[in-house]
Amino acid sequence: MKALGIVNFSGHHIYVNGLEDYRPIGAFSFLGRYRAIDFPISNLSNSGIERIQVYINKKPRSLAEHLGTGRHYNINSKRGRLHLLFSENGTENSLYDTDISAYMENMECIEAESAPYVVIAPSYMIYTQDFREVLKTHAESGADISLLYHSVDNARESFLNCDLLNLNKQKGVQSIEKNRGTAKNRNVFMDTYVMKRELFIDLVKKARKLSSMFTLPQIVNALCEELDIRGISHRGYFATVTDLKSYYDANLSLIDYKDAQTLFKEDWPIYTRTNDSCPTQYFNGSDVKKSVVSNGCLIGGIVENSVIGRGCTIKDGAIVKNCVILPDTVIGKDVHIENQVVDKHARVLHVKELIGNPQQPGYIKRNDIV
Amino acid sequence: MKHNNMLAMILAGGRGSRLHDLTNKVAKPAVSYGGKYRIVDFPLSNCANSGIDVVGVLTQYESVLLNSYVAAGQRWGLDAKDSGVFVLPPREKADSDLDVYRGTADAISQNIDFIDTYEPEYLLILSGDHIYKMNYDKMLEHHKANNADATIAVIEVPMKEASRFGIMNTDENGMIVEFEEKPANPKSNLASMGIYIFSWKILRKMLLADMKNADSSHDFGKDIIPALLNDGKRLCAFKFKGYWKDVGTIDSLWEANMDLLNKNNELDLNDPSWKIYTEDVTTLPHYIGEHADIKNAFITQGCVINGEIKNSVLFTSVKVAEGAKVIDSVLMPGAEVEEGAVVIRALIANNVKIGKNAVVGSADSEHIELVAKRVKGDE
């Protein structure tokens, strides 16, 4: 079953303080060497979907740089295509800046494709999924639209910026609603859709006619009675990046190698752009435990329960605990930091102690010297 | 982008038989080094960083892996329109039968037709099995400034070791007056690094003559350089300072890896202005478990470490289980050390498993132990 892959940006109800000032969520560094968007694109590529459209609505630099020609995603460079599509009319965070308006703006590119199906996946959720299986289930069920969801038991305190699916016993979708944290057992909508490309085009055009501010989940919700819309359950690792806490938690949740294997499978590579960094050097003063470390680092201090990005320097005597350290940062001599997200190129040199609260991790800005 | 008018040829046909089992199925330039590299990444990256667009790689011994490895020129950025890596094993031609490369010079002679298609002004000859970083463009400037016919890169070696090398004796202007291969009583300590720049027209003539010479061993050091000197050509020495290693033995390969552990090692693979490029592997970053104890180590992506690591270099996707110890050792890609096993002063070959509680190598051995086959442990 041929499908066009679409990787979507996050709606304006989502904003990750700090990090998102510099790049869209898809371009966020994840687990040291990846970017969040590597997951949906690798899922599509591994599922044999080689024509992929990536929609970008703001701050395109780091994402465009990372995606490049897409050859690192194992996409055939002649038959396949990683197509970067920009939506330019919405001002940032404007209510008019919706996925529907991005699709409308690029409608000719969607219409020009030939695949009978579309698979739409978000750039801000972390999971692995073989879309061939989803397409098969979808086609066999005869549904008009299939939506991927993940059943969770912590919806009261987590996934608060996400949508939920209300399902009947036959997994028919009755409605899509915002998670207001009213119950713990919920079906979190993974913002992942499968449908016929023709239907998708109809939906986009219909949404635009109904309201200039409509989003794709809103039009799908509005059509729940008219169309046969079903949920498909996802199993395995699932995390969302919808605020700083969820970003921090998602990174730290993969520090144990066994847990990581629920996301990373031998036969399901996650591709990313290489940076040609050399291996990481550990000096005599280093003491690293329970951590994930990328290449190109120089480590002389203590690191515990942390994710260390590419090319970081952890100087002698430094203590880094429960932190997510983005690439190319420096943690200076004898600096003690805990429960922090340290953004790219930041240098923590002069402040000798920064202890955050794991429930509300701290954030150190990109390029900052503190 | 057009760069300098110099074409590079990398001699990568050698077996490196003193590396024993490591080169049973791959040529020496394809041997792993430094955690994530293969040795041939060094000359190839140097070429790319020096603005050389076209590189020929002369392969012969066990070349299947090496041929496909170097042919993917985009790894080193050598894939622009005017650029490329060309794999050149011996081939049958319309006017001559298939013949092996009889020597380093013969390998070039048999590819004169290839070189001519690019009409280079200069030809750079490199070894595929040396570890170093060098800007060949600087060497070319030196060649031009001295109006030389050939320039040979030299490095100062300790006088007492000079008799192991090909030694260049120079005049006060740095021009080579004499070349001695492994002299018993060396007059200088300038050793040839096997890196040559030739003005192509002159070398071409010399090679055509050498091909017909039945007495020649068709070797640059033994035949071509002495012939150029005899002819009164201008040969110039280009002094190189920095890290340079020809890893001929298991001991020296181990040592070259260990050199990376020095805080201020001269090779400095972390220098962003002169990166060494290599194959891109799809693995996780490395994982350090709660029982790990790592001191003085070089560790790369894909590793999963839960044991003790001291003074060691761990290559891609090495696994060290809880309670295992790895000391003063080099573990090649995919090597695995199971629970309680001990590895001391050893070089573990690719994908070799050291079983539970097994012990390999020893702290006071004279040589480094090469472990190329699975070592069984407790069942």
Side-chain angles (χ1 to χ4, degrees):
Chain A
M1 258 168 286
K2 288 262 179 206
L4 166 69
I6 289 181
V7 180
N8 197 7
F9 51 76
S10 56
H12 43 69
H13 60 291
I14 292 173
Y15 196 83
V16 179
N17 286 324
L19 287 164
E20 214 178 330
D21 294 352
Y22 303 95
R23 70 289 257 177
I25 300 178
F28 281 17
S29 162
F30 191 78
L31 204 64
R33 75 180 295 256
Y34 303 99
R35 308 267 194 153
I37 203 164
D38 293 336
F39 291 85
I41 297 180
S42 299
N43 285 337
L44 290 165
S45 165
N46 289 337
S47 302
I49 296 171
E50 293 207 294
R51 297 190 71 85
I52 300 171
Q53 301 185 336
V54 177
Y55 286 83
I56 303 176
N57 67 333
K58 58 187 175 193
K59 299 201 170 62
R61 182 188 57 81
S62 63
L63 204 52
E65 223 172 78
H66 179 70
L67 299 175
T69 61
R71 75 178 296 158
H72 47 289
Y73 293 111
N74 204 20
I75 297 169
N76 182 300
S77 57
K78 301 287 178 188
R79 299 277 307 161
R81 182 176 196 189
L82 188 73
H83 201 175
L84 273 55
L85 297 169
F86 302 90
S87 88
E88 284 147 8
N89 63 1
T91 48
E92 210 171 294
N93 296 323
S94 148
L95 291 173
Y96 290 97
D97 180 20
T98 63
D99 49 359
I100 294 291
S101 73
Y103 298 141
M104 276 307 290
E105 243 183 278
N106 295 286
M107 187 47 81
E108 60 176 311
C109 299
I110 300 170
E111 287 178 332
E113 290 292 331
S114 62
Y117 289 95
V118 286
V119 174
I120 304 169
S123 56
Y124 45 92
M125 292 187 180
I126 310 291
Y127 63 86
T128 45
Q129 172 68 51
D130 187 341
F131 291 126
R132 286 171 301 198
E133 287 169 19
V134 179
L135 280 160
K136 191 163 168 270
T137 310
H138 171 77
E140 284 171 2
S141 75
D144 294 312
I145 304 175
S146 293
L147 306 178
L148 206 59
Y149 69 91
H150 195 92
S151 301
V152 304
D153 59 8
N154 57 346
R156 211 188 281 277
E157 64 279 2
S158 301
F159 305 104
L160 290 176
N161 285 329
C162 299
D163 285 331
L164 304 173
L165 297 187
N166 289 317
L167 300 171
N168 65 21
K169 288 221 170 75
Q170 290 74 41
K171 296 207 169 173
V173 177
Q174 293 177 308
S175 64
I176 302 173
E177 61 166 331
K178 285 264 161 292
N179 179 18
R180 300 184 206 287
T182 51
K184 51 180 199 172
N185 292 305
R186 288 292 202 171
N187 298 317
V188 176
F189 179 33
M190 295 165 74
D191 296 4
T192 304
Y193 310 72
V194 174
M195 65 186 102
K196 285 258 170 66
R197 188 171 54 92
E198 292 305 325
L199 175 60
F200 172 64
I201 293 169
D202 286 348
L203 283 185
V204 171
K205 290 180 176 169
K206 193 177 270 180
R208 174 41 51 100
K209 263 191 207 137
L210 283 172
S211 159
S212 300
M213 291 186 188
F214 248 17
T215 62
L216 187 59
Q218 282 167 344
I219 184 72
V220 171
N221 179 50
L223 295 172
C224 272
E225 297 211 339
E226 224 173 281
L227 296 176
D228 181 357
I229 305 175
R230 302 197 198 178
I232 296 177
S233 166
H234 167 264
R235 290 180 203 291
Y237 181 90
F238 172 61
T240 62
V241 178
T242 51
D243 51 32
L244 190 66
K245 174 76 162 65
S246 61
Y247 170 73
Y248 173 82
D249 288 346
N251 274 283
L252 293 197
S253 72
L254 291 164
I255 278 179
D256 186 86
Y257 188 61
K258 277 217 175 75
D259 297 337
Q261 282 168 311
T262 62
L263 175 63
F264 297 95
K265 306 274 158 79
E266 285 274 314
D267 59 349
W268 204 259
I270 303 300
Y271 309 104
T272 190
R273 170 180 290 275
T274 180
N275 190 48
D276 298 295
S277 306
C278 73
T280 277
Q281 190 157 12
Y282 292 84
F283 300 115
N284 264 329
S286 75
D287 185 7
V288 180
K289 293 203 167 30
K290 273 174 54 191
S291 291
V292 178
V293 186
S294 309
N295 273 0
C297 298
L298 300 169
I299 300 184
I302 295 170
V303 179
E304 210 182 293
N305 200 45
S306 296
V307 173
I308 311 292
R310 206 193 269 132
C312 291
T313 304
I314 315 285
K315 298 263 188 198
D316 288 11
I319 301 174
V320 176
K321 276 188 186 166
N322 313 324
C323 287
V324 178
I325 310 285
L326 271 65
D328 300 317
T329 58
V330 179
I331 309 300
K333 199 170 182 299
D334 300 324
V335 167
H336 180 174
I337 60 170
E338 284 189 35
N339 310 313
Q340 303 289 335
V341 174
V342 183
D343 205 342
K344 223 174 161 181
H345 299 301
R347 283 175 286 165
V348 187
L349 307 175
H350 309 296
V351 178
K352 292 294 176 195
E353 200 175 272
L354 275 173
I355 315 274
N357 168 357
Q359 293 315 311
Q360 225 180 334
Y363 170 74
I364 295 162
K365 280 192 193 167
R366 194 178 198 272
N367 292 330
D368 253 14
I369 302 176
V370 292
Chain B
M1 186 170 94
K2 276 268 181 219
H3 290 107
N4 44 37
N5 196 12
M6 181 158 74
L7 187 137
M9 296 289 266
I10 300 181
L11 300 161
R15 170 169 186 175
S17 49
R18 286 173 305 153
L19 290 172
H20 305 287
D21 285 348
L22 288 185
T23 51
N24 272 349
K25 284 312 285 180
V26 296
K28 185 174 157 195
V31 166
S32 300
Y33 168 77
K36 64 181 288 196
Y37 308 96
R38 293 182 189 273
I39 297 173
V40 74
D41 289 331
F42 287 83
L44 281 167
S45 301
N46 287 339
C47 284
N49 290 333
S50 302
I52 292 169
D53 296 316
V54 180
V55 182
V57 182
L58 301 140
T59 64
Q60 181 153 286
Y61 172 77
E62 275 297 350
S63 55
V64 175
L65 187 142
L66 186 60
N67 288 353
S68 72
Y69 184 76
V70 301
Q74 85 278 358
R75 284 175 186 149
W76 304 277
L78 295 166
D79 62 341
K81 272 256 185 290
D82 293 330
S83 172
V85 179
F86 293 82
V87 180
L88 303 167
R91 67 202 138 104
E92 196 179 335
K93 297 182 189 121
D95 56 356
S96 62
D97 291 335
L98 180 65
D99 199 359
V100 295
Y101 293 145
R102 294 167 295 172
T104 51
D106 188 48
I108 304 299
S109 301
Q110 289 200 34
N111 288 289
I112 287 176
D113 54 347
F114 163 75
I115 298 165
D116 281 345
T117 59
Y118 284 92
E119 300 173 335
E121 208 164 324
Y122 307 100
L123 190 75
L124 171 68
I125 308 284
L126 304 168
S127 267
D129 47 13
H130 295 168
I131 298 162
Y132 65 106
K133 297 197 294 196
M134 187 196 267
N135 188 340
Y136 305 130
D137 200 41
K138 290 254 165 70
M139 183 169 165
L140 179 61
E141 275 171 31
H142 190 80
H143 179 83
K144 288 183 195 165
N146 285 282
N147 203 15
D149 300 314
T151 298
I152 302 172
V154 295
I155 188 166
E156 288 185 27
V157 295
M159 205 63 198
K160 62 179 195 306
E161 286 177 33
S163 52
R164 288 173 37 217
F165 293 90
I167 294 297
M168 300 291 163
N169 299 321
T170 55
D171 65 16
E172 65 278 9
N173 299 318
M175 300 308 287
I176 296 164
V177 293
E178 190 185 13
F179 170 73
E180 294 179 289
E181 182 69 26
K182 296 182 181 159
N185 300 302
K187 293 174 206 146
S188 113
N189 66 341
L190 295 178
S192 165
M193 298 166 70
I195 299 168
Y196 312 100
I197 289 177
F198 294 101
S199 296
W200 173 231
K201 271 188 197 145
I202 290 162
L203 178 67
R204 196 178 184 281
K205 236 182 252 163
M206 204 53 101
L207 290 174
L208 288 172
D210 177 77
M211 278 175 101
K212 293 186 193 121
N213 181 354
D215 299 330
S216 172
S217 53
H218 312 291
D219 184 88
F220 275 102
K222 291 195 193 88
D223 306 291
I224 302 296
I225 302 300
L228 285 166
L229 279 170
N230 275 340
D231 264 22
K233 296 282 189 262
R234 284 178 66 80
L235 270 69
C236 169
F238 175 71
K239 264 195 207 175
F240 173 77
K241 283 200 178 69
Y243 190 91
W244 178 75
K245 204 129 206 178
D246 176 0
V247 287
T249 62
I250 294 295
D251 281 357
S252 68
L253 177 61
W254 175 87
E255 201 178 275
N257 277 288
M258 287 294 153
D259 287 340
L260 296 169
L261 297 175
N262 290 332
K263 204 162 189 164
N264 299 310
N265 76 76
E266 271 187 301
L267 193 58
D268 189 12
L269 295 173
N270 220 343
D271 175 4
S273 71
W274 203 270
K275 279 190 181 180
I276 302 302
Y277 313 107
T278 186
E279 179 181 16
D280 177 24
V281 290
T282 303
T283 70
L284 285 162
H286 58 272
Y287 267 70
I288 310 293
E290 66 181 311
H291 303 288
D293 181 10
I294 303 171
K295 299 273 185 287
N296 212 22
F298 211 59
I299 301 180
T300 194
Q301 64 191 73
C303 289
V304 181
I305 311 297
N306 209 10
E308 185 183 321
I309 314 289
K310 300 270 151 75
N311 292 319
S312 295
V313 178
L314 274 50
F315 291 56
T316 309
S317 297
V318 162
K319 291 195 168 69
V320 180
E322 188 182 337
K325 285 185 187 186
V326 174
I327 299 163
D328 300 330
S329 293
V330 172
L331 277 61
M332 295 271 184
E336 233 173 280
V337 184
E338 295 184 343
E339 272 171 54
V342 180
V343 177
I344 304 183
R345 276 174 67 76
L347 193 150
I348 313 293
N350 303 42
N351 302 315
V352 168
K353 239 185 215 172
I354 308 298
K356 201 170 166 184
N357 296 325
V359 178
V360 297
S362 90
D364 45 16
S365 62
E366 189 194 340
H367 293 289
I368 298 305
E369 184 168 338
L370 169 66
V371 185
K373 284 199 186 74
R374 190 198 161 124
V375 177
K376 276 206 170 166
D378 301 345
E379 294 300 322

